[in-house]
Amino acid sequence: MTTPQPGNPETSFKVMTLVFGALLVGQVVFLSVIFFIHSQGFEVNVESVEVFQYIGIAATLLGISAGNVLYQNLRKAGSSESDLAFKSVRYNTATLVRLALLEATNLINLVFYLMSGDNLFLGTFTLGIAAFILARPQRDTFLSDLQLSQTTPIG
C-alpha cells in the first residue's frame, strides 16, 4: 500500500472531511461549555444587548454570503487548470475559507450568548450551524469540482 500524496484527490477529500468534523465538534463543545457555565448561574450584566444583536445577525448573514461567494470564486479560479493536484489544493482552499467564515460567525454568536444569555444568539447560531453543516465536503461536489468520474476512489 502506498502513502497518499498531498494534492491527491483521495487525500484531499479525507483531509477536508476530517477538518470539517473537527471544526464542528469544536463548536458543539464550546456550546456545551457555555450551557454548563450558564447552568452554574454565570451572569454578565451587559448594558445594551441590542448592539450585539445587530452585530450577531449581520455577522451571520455576511458570513454565510461571503463564504459562499468566496467559495464559488476560488472554485472557478481553479477549474480551468489541468493539473489535478492544483485543483485539489484549490478545492481545499475554497472549502477551508468557507468553513472558517461560517465557524467565525458561529463563535461570535456563541460569545454574545455567553455574555448576554439572549436566546436570539442561539437562533443565529442555529442558522449558522445549519449553513456550516450544509457546507460540509461532499463526494459529488468534490468530484464535479475536480472534474473526476464517479468511479474515482475517494473516501
Side-chain angles (χ1 to χ4, degrees):
M1 180 161 83
T2 61
T3 304
Q5 299 298 316
N8 176 324
E10 182 179 354
T11 304
S12 182
F13 184 75
K14 286 180 180 178
V15 166
M16 284 295 88
T17 302
L18 181 66
V19 167
F20 170 80
L23 293 174
L24 181 63
V25 167
Q27 292 175 72
V28 171
V29 167
F30 189 43
L31 177 63
S32 301
V33 168
I34 291 171
F35 282 149
F36 174 76
I37 289 171
H38 277 271
S39 74
Q40 300 302 309
F42 176 79
E43 285 186 36
V44 175
N45 292 328
V46 179
E47 295 284 326
S48 177
V49 175
E50 188 175 310
V51 172
F52 293 136
Q53 290 173 342
Y54 292 126
I55 294 171
I57 292 169
T60 300
L61 295 176
L62 286 173
I64 292 169
S65 301
N68 287 331
V69 167
L70 288 172
Y71 176 77
Q72 295 300 330
N73 287 341
L74 288 169
R75 270 186 36 203
K76 286 178 188 172
S79 65
S80 61
E81 294 294 324
S82 60
D83 182 25
L84 187 58
F86 181 80
K87 284 182 176 183
S88 185
V89 169
R90 277 291 181 163
Y91 175 82
N92 283 357
T93 302
T95 302
L96 282 173
V97 166
R98 179 165 61 173
L99 293 176
L101 283 169
L102 292 170
E103 183 191 34
T105 60
N106 289 342
L107 294 177
I108 287 169
N109 283 299
L110 288 177
V111 168
F112 288 166
Y113 176 69
L114 173 65
M115 292 171 41
S116 69
D118 187 345
N119 288 332
L120 172 76
F121 299 118
L122 288 181
T124 53
F125 171 76
T126 302
L127 177 64
I129 203 76
F132 187 86
I133 290 169
L134 290 173
R136 73 177 162 63
Q138 297 178 0
R139 186 179 195 281
D140 293 339
T141 305
F142 181 78
L143 291 174
S144 68
D145 284 355
L146 272 60
Q147 297 171 344
L148 301 173
S149 71
Q150 292 291 333
T151 59
T152 303
I154 61 167

